[in-house]
Amino acid sequence: MAQVLEFKLPDLGEGLTEAEIVRWLVEVGDVVAVDQPVVEVETAKAMVEVPCPYGGVVTARFGAEGTELPVGAPLLTVAVGETADARPSGDAGGADTARTGGAGDGASGQEPAAEGSGNVLVGYGTSQAPARRRRVRSAAPAVNGRPRTPEPVRETARPADGPVPVISPLVRRLARQNGLDLRELTGSGPDGLILRADVEHALALRSTTDRDSADTATGPTAQVTAAPAVSPGRAASVTRVPLKGIRGAVADKLSRSRTEIPDATCWVDADATELMRTRAAMNAAGGPKISVLALLARICTAALARFPELNASVDTAAREIVRYADVHLGFAAQTERGLVVPVVRDAHTRDAESLTAEFARLTEAARAGTLTPAELTGGTFTLNNYGVFGVDGSTPIINHPEAAMLGVGRIVPKPWVHEGELAVRQVVQLSLTFDHRVCDGGTAGGFLRYVADCVEQPAVLLRTL
């Protein structure tokens, strides 16, 4: 006999408390498999496909597209049991194994199915259907779906077609995107639970780079203007845009930046003619084309090595400046959802070709809406190429909690005194907005002057290569 189980909006991590339904991926009456994505939601940080931890028939959906739901609110219900004959054979085998005790300690694993997976994405799993499936439980109370204290791993015999002890769809997605078979891993969590750290360790052994999440997010610079006060007779001509999702997060983040950070801006014009000639020569030599943004990023990382004070943040609670040895470089990418800032990890270790490839990959993911929260967080410095919008200069708001942002305007032909004579040269305006708490004007000016020198004479970079 089938039992109807309720699946709630899970905790999507990163401190998020709500999400907006963008698109339903299943209809009422559809048969779904375990961990099949059922809905696409938008949080303040990314678009996320939410997988369902149950296999069965969808009996109800809660919320229309565009509805904003808090974490823990019902998403849908699934009829699980003998009537769900369309369930994949691998899942059925896992259920039989669970019933015979193959998934864990049979004496302690039996408990009635109640709410099912619980309401946390970073810690929900497939729980027991009536007399068919065992629940993976942690022995200690959990916070946000993660155990308070680690437990020794208990080795269990895992059937080839049975359920894998992974309760985080984000972990499953990380493994799937990197072609990693979770059945080959032994989890370090309670009862052999496979954690993200286990997947990252396995990927590291395969010499595949994984990205760690950080504690801040960044989003587009939303063009939302508060509606002015109007008379009742003109109210019909006013449009109010709710500050929610990404726009709400941006509003909060920029307001916090302006409130906390005493920023200052300095700028300089530079002759970029030699930089453009250098790029043309590099591209003429064959191989992947090098982008201007990649060259600017390479210059930026070299400047940060000389002026590490700007690769930092301020811990206001501890009243300390935190300086970072690694450069995780954020850059602006225009998308249909707005302007987002993906992060290139370990930019200081990359050459121009690697930077070009990573910029292209992240830009494509941004426009497709597939950037993960990890790819939108953790930056230590931002490169803002607003010249693509056809403007010369800007005084941007610093991406909190970073300490500085380099802005690059358009590169255009202008009159310029070159070698004592007036000539038409390719000129660009560079600006640096910085947190005055981490350094004084001399440091900021020195950084910007070094960047300008490298733009005017790219050979300067040879001293640090």
Side-chain angles (χ1 to χ4, degrees), residues 215-216 250-261 316 397-398 400-401:
D215 56 0
T216 61
V250 168
D252 294 339
K253 190 177 186 65
L254 297 183
S255 297
R256 183 178 182 184
S257 179
R258 278 298 193 202
T259 301
E260 291 186 10
I261 299 178
T316 55
I397 299 177
I398 294 176
H400 184 280

Side-chain angles (χ1 to χ4, degrees), residues 109-271:
Q110 183 71 29
E111 89 172 22
E115 294 189 6
S117 68
N119 61 347
V120 287
L121 182 61
V122 291
Y124 80 75
T126 305
S127 55
Q128 178 189 13
R132 292 181 65 85
R133 189 178 299 278
R134 295 194 182 278
R135 173 183 300 212
V136 178
R137 296 186 303 165
S138 52
V143 177
N144 198 23
R146 301 184 66 179
R148 293 180 184 273
T149 57
E151 292 186 356
V153 175
R154 186 165 55 190
E155 297 293 339
T156 60
R158 189 181 308 151
D161 294 330
V164 181
V166 180
I167 60 177
S168 170
L170 296 182
V171 173
R172 290 183 184 271
R173 180 180 181 183
L174 177 62
R176 183 170 62 252
Q177 289 178 338
N178 290 277
L180 183 65
D181 187 355
L182 290 172
R183 299 180 190 279
E184 299 177 356
L185 302 186
T186 298
S188 60
D191 296 319
L193 181 67
I194 297 176
L195 307 176
R196 175 171 181 162
D198 301 322
V199 175
E200 291 176 345
H201 179 66
L203 294 176
L205 293 179
R206 271 187 4 178
S207 300
T208 302
T209 304
D210 188 57
R211 310 305 183 203
D212 294 325
S213 299
D215 56 0
T216 61
T218 188
T221 306
Q223 302 295 326
V224 179
T225 305
V230 296
S231 61
R234 298 183 60 191
S237 63
V238 175
T239 300
R240 291 181 175 269
V241 179
L243 282 174
K244 63 179 183 178
I246 284 184
R247 295 186 186 276
V250 168
D252 294 339
K253 190 177 186 65
L254 297 183
S255 297
R256 183 178 182 184
S257 179
R258 278 298 193 202
T259 301
E260 291 186 10
I261 299 178
D263 59 347
T265 301
C266 53
W267 57 89
V268 64
D269 289 341
D271 180 0

Side-chain angles (χ1 to χ4, degrees), residues 360-453:
R361 184 188 72 81
L362 291 172
T363 299
E364 180 61 29
R367 290 172 179 168
T370 58
L371 285 174
T372 65
E375 292 171 328
L376 287 167
T377 59
T380 61
F381 188 92
T382 295
L383 175 60
N384 188 354
N385 182 21
Y386 44 74
V388 297
F389 303 117
V391 298
D392 294 324
S394 174
T395 55
I397 299 177
I398 294 176
N399 185 19
H400 184 280
E402 297 171 14
M405 176 184 294
L406 177 67
V408 182
R410 59 178 180 164
I411 302 176
V412 294
K414 288 184 178 181
W416 189 267
V417 177
H418 176 65
E419 297 180 349
E421 295 183 0
L422 187 63
V424 176
R425 306 285 286 180
Q426 300 293 320
V427 179
V428 62
Q429 185 179 99
L430 306 170
S431 64
L432 177 70
T433 300
F434 65 98
D435 185 340
H436 227 313
R437 296 173 297 179
V438 303
C439 69
D440 295 325
T443 299
F447 174 93
L448 188 59
R449 187 63 257 171
Y450 179 80
V451 170
D453 289 344

Side-chain angles (χ1 to χ4, degrees), residues 239-317:
T239 300
R240 291 181 175 269
V241 179
L243 282 174
K244 63 179 183 178
I246 284 184
R247 295 186 186 276
V250 168
D252 294 339
K253 190 177 186 65
L254 297 183
S255 297
R256 183 178 182 184
S257 179
R258 278 298 193 202
T259 301
E260 291 186 10
I261 299 178
D263 59 347
T265 301
C266 53
W267 57 89
V268 64
D269 289 341
D271 180 0
T273 304
E274 293 303 321
L275 179 69
M276 301 305 290
R277 288 176 178 171
T278 299
R279 174 176 177 260
M282 295 171 69
N283 290 338
K289 300 297 183 181
I290 304 301
S291 67
V292 175
L293 185 62
L295 294 179
L296 292 171
R298 185 64 187 87
I299 293 172
C300 193
T301 56
L304 288 173
R306 294 172 65 94
F307 299 93
E309 298 91 338
L310 293 168
N311 193 46
S313 63
V314 176
D315 186 339
T316 55

Side-chain angles (χ1 to χ4, degrees), residues 94-108:
D96 293 338
T97 303
R99 185 169 63 248
T100 58
D105 187 359
S108 61

